[in-house]
Amino acid sequence: MTAAVEFLRVSRHFGPASAPVKAVDGVDLTIAEGSFFAMLGPSGSGKTTCLRLISGFEKPTSGTIRIFGQDVGDIPPNRRNVNTVFQDYALFPHMNVRDNVGYGLMVKGVDRRTRDARAEEMLALVKLEGYGDRKPAQLSGGQRQRVALARALVNEPKVLLLDEPLGALDLKLREAMQDELKALQSRLGITFVFVTHDQGEALSMADSLAVFNEGRIAQIGTPAEVYARPRTRFVADFVGSSNVLPPEVTRAFGGPMKWASLRPEMLRVTAADGVALAGTVTGIRYLGAGSRLSVALNGTEVAALLPAGQPVPEPGATVGLAFDPAALHVMEGEG
Amino acid sequence: MTSPTPAILPERGLADRLTALFWRHPRLLLAVLLTPPLLWLGVVYLGSLFALLLQSFYSIDEFSGVVKEEFTLKTYAELFRAQNLDIIIRTLVMSAAVTIGCALIAFPIAYYAARFARGKWKAVFYLGVMLPLWSSYLVKVYAWKLILAKEGIITWAAEGVGLSMILNAILAIPGIGGNSLSTSPLGTFIVFVYVWLPYMILPMQAALERVPTSMLEASADLGASRAQTFRTVILPLAMPGVIAGSIFTFSLTMGDYIIPQIVGTSARFIGLAVYQLQGTAGNIPLAAAFAVVPIVIMLIYLTIAKRKGAFDAL
């Protein structure tokens, strides 16, 4: 399998060389051809800068970026066969939907008839047949998003970059678009690189994902790997809000003297008597499909997911906690 | 539990009573705010415009010099006499040239200010653009007369660096050249461009400011060269600003009667013609007819601009 995108020790620093802001700091990354790759991280973690390094809107301070094996250090954005769905969609307000979608072909000198036909095909692909004559201002957020997608796909890019494309949509629409994007990707076979701060979105859509923190990649892997075996405290907390246990607590929980992650859904809430781990309920958050209990245990706050249908203890009650020792994941990395 | 603060706060006098009044009748505030300017615009401005229009349909008795208050198109026909048509065409060509000149110089400045200037440099930009407006218009025009004069700094500098040949060659071009820069149509053009430039830069900059960077990136991302992005994205989106600026430069040039008197060949422009006709000649109807010309030209200009889609991005 070829690598669609490769980062070799790539850094992007802003500001003066004496006190640089390290937006991206020594990132190594390989994105396999045909995969759905997510870049996940909080705002300011460098994920969007990485995306812009691929599209060419940022130049690396150091390091090498290759797209399908070719060094793109000297290639401006318009010559990279990589297209972007922008966060604000960036549709041209003075052009109708058809001209927006056909823009990539227009600048290549494709004649009007051909590009109108292609634009119509792309609109059909994103289920917007018959919207060609409208202006972007006349569309809803979800429709604009689809136009942006059609416009980015019209050039048949080798890699499609999506910068938080679902961020502006409401929940229902977002879920529908997640399924559609996923289906579209497997149908077209194009490599998708998807930037998001929503860990649920990244877990459900990506074939593999990179978790960014402070300009570096904290972990790369499949969603299942990252979720089950977070490498660092940051990953454990950011992906699925795990219980991050300090070494002493890990030992109290029957593990080694190391930082560990224990997923809230792996904890069972039991009666307080006759168990090794007992604590006081300090807070209850109702989630619909269950409740999330905060339990104070030897001075550590631990979250446990209580499935719906089970009796919910009162705040202040003493409860016991039990778990399968295999669920306690000891973390190797720091930070 | 009773709260120490009441659910409804007591009214605190006139300000609160007015607030309540405007809240109950939302249109009232609008009416209060709009009445004075509407009176001003409606009565003073539109009224005088109408009076002007009316005057232009009267004519002057050639023997007595008295205005005949009868409806006629005779005065308008006079505009088409060779000498008057000459004035109109000269003004039109100069206004168009000044507008294009302003647009060409203003665009890079406005583009820089909108896209790259931040913080302190933005303040420097505004100051730089507005600074010329602080001094009197007449002072600036006379200053330019000295700069452009035969004994002025431009001729002197051209001699100093050995470019007199080029300056003389430019001055020898018929139609735009002359004895010196300060007595040539080119000089008039330079001063007009200088004086009206801020009125082109500011609306252009406002229009460019509204074009998000992501739109330019989207264009490049889809394969457009810089030139293509300029032609297909930046220019159409900046067009309302360019048109707004050109309305200023165009109409200000068409109406000006001072600059052509001080710098240039003393050939008459519409503004000067109006000034002389209503003053020394006492031919109010023809002055009015002349004054209607810029209005008609502006209307034609805006209609064409609208047809060409200049306001699509509004």
Side-chain angles (χ1 to χ4, degrees):
Chain A
M1 192 147 47
T2 356
V5 180
E6 275 174 287
F7 276 44
L8 303 168
R9 310 272 349 127
V10 172
S11 293
R12 175 68 176 105
H13 297 176
F14 294 99
S18 52
V21 177
K22 295 175 178 174
V24 173
D25 192 21
V27 163
D28 281 305
L29 183 66
T30 304
I31 300 173
E33 184 181 359
S35 67
F36 199 123
F37 190 89
M39 292 181 173
L40 174 66
S43 52
S45 61
K47 55 190 193 306
T48 297
T49 310
C50 273
L51 200 76
R52 292 170 61 80
L53 283 163
I54 302 174
S55 55
F57 297 122
E58 296 290 349
K59 281 184 231 161
T61 312
S62 64
T64 309
I65 298 169
R66 296 206 187 108
I67 298 176
F68 282 85
Q70 276 175 286
D71 187 341
V72 293
D74 213 26
I75 311 288
N78 63 325
R79 285 189 46 224
R80 301 186 187 194
N81 200 1
V82 160
N83 288 129
T84 309
V85 176
F86 288 83
Q87 188 170 11
D88 61 356
Y89 313 142
L91 299 178
F92 305 125
H94 56 297
M95 298 181 195
N96 64 22
V97 166
R98 184 179 301 110
D99 289 347
N100 261 288
V101 175
Y103 188 81
L105 301 173
M106 194 261 285
V107 297
K108 278 185 186 162
V110 175
D111 66 283
R112 172 157 284 280
R113 187 189 301 222
T114 315
R115 66 175 197 256
D116 281 357
R118 277 286 291 154
E120 213 51 60
E121 273 173 49
M122 296 319 293
L123 285 173
L125 187 72
V126 296
K127 300 183 189 133
L128 279 179
E129 296 102 328
Y131 280 75
D133 290 321
R134 300 213 194 169
K135 286 284 181 77
Q138 297 168 299
L139 302 180
S140 71
Q143 289 168 336
R144 274 181 228 176
Q145 217 264 321
R146 286 157 192 268
V147 175
L149 192 62
R151 186 178 68 171
L153 286 169
V154 82
N155 282 342
E156 296 172 353
K158 298 288 274 180
V159 181
L160 183 76
L161 308 174
L162 302 109
D163 187 5
E164 306 245 7
L166 309 180
L169 305 180
D170 60 50
L171 183 67
K172 207 78 203 146
L173 202 53
R174 194 155 67 218
E175 284 173 351
M177 274 314 285
Q178 284 176 4
D179 291 342
E180 259 180 64
L181 274 179
K182 189 74 189 149
L184 196 63
Q185 195 265 337
S186 49
R187 201 164 114 213
L188 298 171
I190 295 174
T191 312
F192 277 33
V193 181
F194 188 96
V195 159
T196 181
H197 63 268
D198 181 335
Q199 48 100 13
E201 203 164 274
L203 290 176
S204 68
M205 295 174 77
D207 300 327
S208 59
L209 58 89
V211 184
F212 280 77
N213 184 29
E214 292 176 348
R216 295 163 185 267
I217 292 179
Q219 188 168 7
I220 300 188
T222 65
E225 277 166 13
V226 172
Y227 189 81
R229 291 190 293 282
R231 212 174 62 79
T232 68
R233 277 176 265 163
F234 172 80
V235 176
D237 182 49
F238 190 77
V239 182
S241 319
S242 193
N243 290 306
V244 177
L245 308 177
E248 336 46 281
V249 180
T250 308
R251 186 134 84 182
F253 275 46
M257 194 62 179
K258 281 195 167 146
W259 286 88
S261 155
L262 185 59
R263 294 286 169 193
E265 65 272 22
M266 293 299 183
L267 281 164
R268 283 192 312 280
V269 178
T270 64
D273 30 75
V275 288
L277 298 169
T280 317
V281 177
T282 55
I284 299 164
R285 191 138 55 96
Y286 181 65
L287 303 173
S291 300
R292 195 179 166 97
L293 300 189
S294 298
V295 181
L297 205 145
N298 306 335
T300 314
E301 194 92 338
V302 176
L305 200 70
L306 192 66
Q310 287 197 22
V312 181
E314 291 288 312
T318 307
V319 293
L321 292 175
F323 61 93
D324 178 354
L328 189 69
H329 168 69
V330 176
M331 291 181 287
E332 57 211 81
E334 275 305 305
Chain B
M1 201 174 88
T2 53
S3 154
T5 51
I8 308 292
L9 302 173
E11 207 171 67
R12 295 165 306 176
L14 184 65
D16 271 5
R17 243 174 302 153
L18 281 177
T19 303
L21 182 69
F22 291 140
W23 177 75
R24 284 182 204 117
H25 311 280
R27 281 167 189 279
L28 191 63
L29 182 61
L30 198 67
V32 169
L33 289 175
L34 282 184
T35 306
L38 280 180
L39 277 178
W40 173 262
L41 274 177
V43 178
V44 180
Y45 178 72
L46 287 179
S48 48
L49 207 62
F50 178 75
L52 177 81
L53 210 60
L54 198 66
Q55 287 283 341
S56 68
F57 287 109
Y58 294 158
S59 64
I60 198 156
D61 189 291
E62 276 167 39
F63 298 106
S64 62
V66 175
V67 175
K68 285 193 288 189
E69 297 191 356
E70 289 165 23
F71 183 86
T72 172
L73 287 173
K74 207 180 106 197
T75 314
Y76 278 105
E78 287 220 3
L79 288 178
F80 292 95
R81 280 184 15 200
Q83 52 168 2
N84 292 341
L85 206 56
D86 207 33
I87 293 173
I88 292 171
I89 289 168
R90 181 182 304 118
T91 311
L92 196 61
V93 168
M94 179 59 80
S95 304
V98 168
T99 300
I100 293 167
C102 280
L104 290 179
I105 297 173
F107 193 87
I109 300 171
Y111 189 79
Y112 162 78
R115 206 142 287 297
F116 300 107
R118 292 282 170 272
K120 189 180 73 179
W121 289 108
K122 199 116 196 171
V124 169
F125 159 77
Y126 279 117
L127 207 66
V129 172
M130 307 288 240
L131 206 59
L133 301 178
W134 292 6
S135 63
S136 152
Y137 167 86
L138 278 175
V139 170
K140 285 184 290 186
V141 176
Y142 276 107
W144 270 104
K145 190 179 175 66
L146 295 180
I147 293 169
L148 297 173
K150 215 172 182 69
E151 307 78 26
I153 188 167
I154 291 183
T155 315
W156 173 79
E159 267 167 22
V161 294
L163 290 176
S164 294
M165 292 267 293
I166 294 173
L167 185 62
N168 289 334
I170 293 169
L171 288 175
I173 300 171
I176 67 164
N179 214 357
S180 71
L181 275 174
S182 68
T183 55
S184 66
L186 182 61
T188 319
F189 168 80
I190 291 171
V191 177
F192 267 133
V193 168
Y194 171 79
V195 171
W196 307 141
L197 194 58
Y199 301 98
M200 182 63 100
I201 294 176
L202 292 175
M204 251 187 188
Q205 186 249 353
L208 286 169
E209 199 116 291
R210 290 212 308 264
V211 182
T213 315
S214 67
M215 222 157 267
L216 310 186
E217 288 181 346
S219 174
D221 189 74
L222 292 163
S225 64
R226 290 287 167 101
Q228 285 174 318
T229 303
F230 177 79
R231 219 174 40 242
T232 58
V233 179
I234 300 176
L235 202 57
L237 290 176
M239 218 47 195
V242 178
I243 299 292
S246 68
I247 291 170
F248 285 127
T249 56
F250 206 79
S251 57
L252 286 169
T253 310
M254 278 201 295
D256 194 89
Y257 66 98
I258 300 203
I259 291 173
Q261 276 187 91
I262 299 171
V263 181
T265 56
S266 326
R268 290 202 296 169
F269 283 70
I270 288 179
L272 197 57
V274 173
Y275 177 68
Q276 289 169 350
L277 283 169
Q278 63 86 34
T280 42
N283 191 344
I284 298 284
L286 188 55
F290 256 119
V292 169
V293 172
I295 298 171
V296 172
I297 291 173
M298 282 319 289
L299 287 177
I300 294 171
Y301 174 60
L302 289 179
T303 310
I304 294 172
K306 189 167 160 36
R307 285 262 173 81
K308 293 265 176 201
F311 304 111
D312 286 5
L314 272 185

